[in-house]
Amino acid sequence: MSPSTATSILASTAGLDQHDKFGYWQDVVCRALVDLECSPVSGRTFEASVEGSRLDGLSVARIEASAHRVERRSSAISRASDESLIFNFVLSGVAMAQQDGRSVVLKAGDGAVCDAQRPYSLRFDDTFQIITIKLARSAITHRAGSIHRITARSLGESSQVCPILFGYLVSFSRQVSILAPAASEKVARNFTELLAAALDEVIQASPPPLSEYRAAALMRARDFVERHLDVCELDTSMVSNALNLSPRYINKLFEAENTSLTRYIWRRRLERAAVDLRDPDRAGLSVSAIAMAHGFNDLSHFSRAFRQRFDFSPRAYRASGAVSAVSGPSPA
C-alpha cells in the first residue's frame, strides 16, 4: 500500500466580521478537529487561527487563539465514529485541563492527554498557543487500558522523555505539511513511538488504580469540596463529617493522587480565584473581595500562595489579562 498524503488543516478568523468569528471557530474548527462545544469569554474580542495536517490515525494542529473554553460532551461522544486520544502541548499562555475528576494547570513546555471517549474540558483565560494532537487509540493499544490513570495530569512532571518529545513536536508540526508522503508517514510513526514512550513513563509513575469503592469515595470527596470551596471552614473534618468517612481514610484517598486533601482544597481555590481575576464581569471586585469569595480570609497568605502557584501576584495576573484582552493575539 502506498503512503497516504497529508491533508492540510488551515483556517483563520482574520477578515471576518467580529460577530461571526466565534461561530466560525465553533463550526469550522472545533468540530472539525474534535467535536467540542466552545464558549467565549464575555467582553473580549476574539481572534484565532489553526494550521496543521491529518495523516492516517494522526492529526497535528498548531492553534493560536484568544481566551475561550471548550468542552467535550456526552452528546458529541455518542456521535463519534472513532476512538481517539487528544494531547495538548502549550507553546505559550496557560491552559487548564479537566477530566476524570482531576484538573491540571499547564504552562509553556508542558502537556496533558484527554480521552475523547469521556467528557473533558479545556479552559484558556488568556491568549495562547498550543499544539493539539489527535491520535487513534489503536496506535497505543497495549497502553490504552491505563490511560484513565493519567488523563488531566502533567506529562512534563513525570516524564524525562517529554522535553525531547516537545522539541520534536514543535519541529514536526511545522514540517509535516510539506513532507513527501513516504517521509511524513515515517516521521509520524517515529513521533508516535516517542509519544508512547512518554506515556509509559507517566503511567509507571502514576499511582496504582483505586478500587471501584475507593474511586467512588474520592469522587464524592472532590464533589463536596467543589461545592464548598467558598466556605472558609472547609477542611478535612468538615469533609469527613459530611461524607461519614474517617479523616485518615480521606487523606489516604488523596495520597493515592500524590496530594493531600488540604493541598487539593488550596489548589482549587487558587484556580477558581485566578479565573475570577481575569473575568471582565468581575473587574469591579477588589483582589481581597475575590480572595474572600473563595475561602481565603488572609490576603497576605492568599497573595503568597497565588504567586507560588502562578508566578504572578494576584494584581499582576489580573493586569496581564487586561492587557492581553485589549491587544489580542500576537501575529503568527
Side-chain angles (χ1 to χ4, degrees):
M1 182 181 294
S2 60
S4 57
T5 303
T7 303
S8 294
I9 303 169
L10 185 63
S12 173
T13 60
L16 297 178
D17 185 274
Q18 187 61 43
H19 296 292
D20 298 329
K21 289 184 177 184
F22 200 83
Y24 171 81
W25 188 251
Q26 166 80 55
D27 294 337
V28 177
V29 179
C30 287
R31 288 180 177 157
L33 286 170
V34 186
D35 194 348
L36 300 170
E37 290 297 324
C38 305
S39 57
V41 175
S42 62
R44 299 194 188 184
T45 58
F46 184 79
E47 298 289 347
S49 63
V50 59
E51 182 176 3
S53 296
R54 290 190 187 91
L55 297 164
D56 285 343
L58 176 69
S59 296
V60 180
R62 191 183 185 104
I63 297 170
E64 179 177 5
S66 306
H68 68 287
R69 297 158 195 175
V70 299
E71 185 178 1
R72 176 75 165 169
R73 296 180 179 173
S74 299
S75 56
I77 295 169
S78 65
R79 293 193 295 266
S81 59
D82 58 352
E83 295 187 4
S84 302
L85 301 174
I86 309 300
F87 297 82
N88 289 288
F89 289 88
V90 179
L91 299 176
S92 66
V94 178
M96 179 184 288
Q98 293 183 304
Q99 189 172 42
D100 297 328
R102 289 187 292 269
S103 65
V104 61
V105 175
L106 303 171
K107 301 178 183 179
D110 202 359
V113 59
C114 291
D115 189 339
Q117 294 307 110
R118 296 193 301 282
Y120 69 85
S121 65
L122 299 169
R123 189 172 73 223
F124 308 94
D125 293 328
D126 204 348
T127 300
F128 66 93
Q129 293 183 59
I130 61 171
I131 296 177
T132 295
I133 303 162
K134 180 180 180 181
L135 180 68
R137 197 182 184 92
S138 57
I140 54 168
T141 303
H142 66 290
R143 302 169 181 87
S146 300
I147 290 296
H148 68 282
R149 291 167 53 187
I150 62 169
T151 51
R153 291 187 188 275
S154 165
L155 297 179
E157 288 182 359
S158 304
S159 170
Q160 294 180 330
V161 175
C162 194
I164 302 171
L165 173 67
F166 188 83
Y168 191 105
L169 176 59
V170 171
S171 178
F172 177 45
S173 66
R174 289 172 175 161
Q175 301 295 323
V176 63
S177 62
I178 61 175
L179 292 174
S184 62
E185 188 173 89
K186 183 176 181 179
V187 171
R189 185 166 57 250
N190 291 340
F191 172 73
T192 301
E193 291 175 357
L194 191 59
L195 184 60
L199 288 180
D200 280 343
E201 276 192 300
V202 180
I203 289 170
Q204 290 171 14
S206 68
L210 296 171
S211 68
E212 185 175 343
Y213 175 80
R214 287 166 64 86
L218 179 61
M219 190 69 72
R220 287 172 59 211
R222 283 179 173 150
D223 180 64
F224 183 85
V225 168
E226 289 296 315
R227 289 185 286 108
H228 295 84
L229 282 171
D230 58 341
V231 179
C232 291
E233 295 78 16
L234 179 64
D235 59 10
T236 303
S237 178
M238 182 176 176
V239 177
S240 171
N241 292 333
L243 302 184
N244 197 27
L245 297 171
S246 73
R248 178 180 173 82
Y249 183 79
I250 290 174
N251 279 316
K252 285 291 185 183
L253 293 176
F254 281 90
E255 283 176 13
E257 298 288 298
N258 292 326
T259 188
S260 67
L261 175 58
T262 299
R263 289 199 300 272
Y264 180 78
I265 291 171
W266 285 115
R267 177 169 64 82
R268 292 298 298 128
R269 282 175 167 169
L270 289 169
E271 289 168 354
R272 287 268 193 95
V275 172
D276 283 357
L277 284 169
R278 286 187 172 174
D279 186 344
D281 294 337
R282 291 174 172 79
L285 293 177
S286 66
V287 171
S288 59
I290 289 175
M292 292 182 67
H294 291 287
F296 294 94
N297 53 17
D298 184 332
L299 184 59
S300 61
H301 178 260
F302 168 71
S303 297
R304 287 195 302 272
F306 193 94
R307 182 186 291 275
Q308 185 176 14
R309 177 70 175 162
F310 295 103
D311 297 328
F312 286 95
S313 70
R315 286 184 175 81
Y317 186 85
R318 168 179 265 181
S320 66
V323 169
S324 297
V326 172
S327 62
S330 58

